[in-house]
Amino acid sequence: MLSRLRRFDLMKTLERATWLASLAACGTMQTSAPTGAPAPAGAVVASVPIGRGPTLLAISPDGSVVYAASVGQLAAIRTDTNTVAATARIDPYTTGIAVTPDGSHVLLVAVSSTSLTILPAGNLAQASEIALPQPGLYPGGYGRIAVSADGRTAWVVNEDLWLAVVNLGAATAQRTTLAMRPNDMALSRDGRTAYVAGCQEYCTTGTIELIDVASQNVTATISVGPGPYRFALSPDGRRGYTTNLGGPSLSIVDLAGHTVQATLPVGIEPTGLAVSSDGARVYIASNRTGRLTIASGDGRTVLATVRIPGSPRDVVLSPEGRRAYVSTSAPNAVVVLDTQQLGAGT
């Protein structure tokens, strides 16, 4: 079991746990990821200074605001001007951030959180809390957040083999136990299925579990690359994507057929993942190697690899896919990129 006190640096903990597995995983894909080139002239639209990283990102559904959760600070970045419009003090070392489907609230958890923090988008200073289950000796362990399409329920993964299912209206939460350590998850558009990515035992092979929301029973299990850290769905819900710390790699999964369609190499510590609204492109930010990899949605090819200054941590896309927002350190900033200028097509 991973230490909760090191939750903010989970990627390094998992990297140690999956070191042997990463050697075996390389045999099923290209031997190395592309090294990448600097972003083409005109591709960098802006660099918005923010608080000290590591920084997690979320974007409002209408694309008007990017929220950047740094160490002890949440910044709201207006995308029309690429400036910070508001800030709020938050717990240090954020492990999960999400925006409700109507854009009205931002949800946060941090490394030692005992509750889900809810901030109104219009007034970030007026935070409220919903207590999360804490059955163990130590608080914390919570990470990525997924919100149902109707905005009524938030699901929060916990590394100690469970999910917290939060009723946002009633301000209550219950625990659903798992046979795996979950790292990330997503909900189907119809709200019937939860997709949870994580590790069983030493994570020599990563796992995606499909959970029926009504019964909370596992309906299928899919093996992916070692040490899955992030998970995302294609817009049509047919494909799932995991970035795997072991390898490191991107797994492209046929969710109906329960099979891995392709595995692509990416930069070391792939901590950021976003899928374009048309499903044609997948963006992966690799923390250690300073790379943004752009792959085709079907997993057949890497379209482009771009060097990002510092250590890119997370990436989100505007709704139409024209802009990519990448958080990075040294300098601590959110880099705004024109995706049409990145060599990956329109």
Side-chain angles (χ1 to χ4, degrees), residues 319-343:
E320 81 292 340
R322 181 63 187 268
R323 294 286 185 266
Y325 301 86
V326 183
S327 63
T328 186
S329 60
N332 293 308
V334 172
V335 179
V336 185
L337 300 169
D338 183 334
T339 59
Q340 294 184 343
Q341 301 294 323
L342 292 179

Side-chain angles (χ1 to χ4, degrees), residues 23-334:
L23 300 179
C26 291
T28 60
M29 56 189 179
Q30 301 175 36
T31 57
S32 62
T35 57
V44 179
V45 177
S47 181
V48 184
I50 51 172
R52 182 167 57 93
T55 301
L56 300 187
L57 301 178
I59 190 167
S60 61
D62 64 3
S64 63
V65 182
V66 170
Y67 296 96
S70 302
V71 178
Q73 176 182 281
L74 178 69
I77 301 170
R78 286 184 51 175
T79 58
D80 58 347
T81 60
N82 293 318
T83 57
V84 175
T87 61
R89 294 187 63 181
I90 58 175
D91 289 340
Y93 303 116
T94 299
T95 52
I97 181 171
V99 182
T100 55
D102 62 3
S104 63
H105 291 83
V106 183
L107 311 181
L108 295 168
V109 288
V111 63
S112 58
S113 288
T114 59
S115 59
L116 179 68
T117 301
I118 304 173
L119 300 90
N123 188 349
L124 297 179
Q126 291 187 347
S128 59
E129 309 283 337
I130 297 177
L132 295 173
Q134 297 290 333
L137 180 62
Y138 301 104
Y142 285 103
R144 297 288 172 175
I145 304 167
V147 184
S148 61
D150 60 13
R152 297 179 180 178
T153 307
W155 295 60
V156 191
V157 303
N158 190 290
E159 66 184 54
D160 282 345
L161 309 177
W162 79 76
L163 304 170
V165 184
V166 184
N167 185 320
L168 296 174
T172 59
Q174 64 180 15
R175 182 168 62 113
T176 296
T177 57
L178 301 171
M180 63 185 293
R181 299 192 309 273
N183 292 329
D184 201 359
M185 68 169 295
L187 294 165
S188 62
R189 184 171 297 180
D190 62 12
R192 296 179 179 178
T193 305
Y195 301 92
V196 185
C199 296
Q200 296 179 347
E201 297 183 1
Y202 294 104
C203 213
T204 54
T205 300
T207 301
I208 298 174
E209 286 191 348
L210 281 62
I211 300 174
D212 177 75
V213 169
S215 66
Q216 297 192 7
N217 292 327
V218 175
T219 59
T221 299
I222 306 170
S223 295
V224 292
Y229 184 71
R230 295 298 308 273
F231 178 81
L233 289 171
S234 62
D236 61 10
R238 296 180 179 180
R239 292 191 180 107
Y241 304 90
T242 65
T243 59
N244 311 307
L245 297 186
S249 61
L250 173 74
S251 293
I252 300 91
V253 180
D254 176 354
L255 294 173
H258 303 160
T259 58
V260 174
Q261 290 182 318
T263 303
L264 290 175
V266 296
I268 297 172
E269 289 186 356
T271 55
L273 175 65
V275 183
S276 63
S277 57
D278 60 2
R281 294 168 301 283
V282 183
Y283 295 75
I284 305 99
S286 296
N287 185 257
R288 179 174 295 184
T289 47
R291 301 289 185 269
L292 180 69
T293 302
I294 307 169
S296 61
D298 60 9
R300 293 181 179 178
T301 186
V302 172
L303 301 172
T305 304
V306 179
R307 291 205 298 265
I308 302 294
S311 301
R313 176 64 183 269
D314 208 356
V315 56
V316 294
L317 300 173
S318 59
E320 81 292 340
R322 181 63 187 268
R323 294 286 185 266
Y325 301 86
V326 183
S327 63
T328 186
S329 60
N332 293 308
V334 172

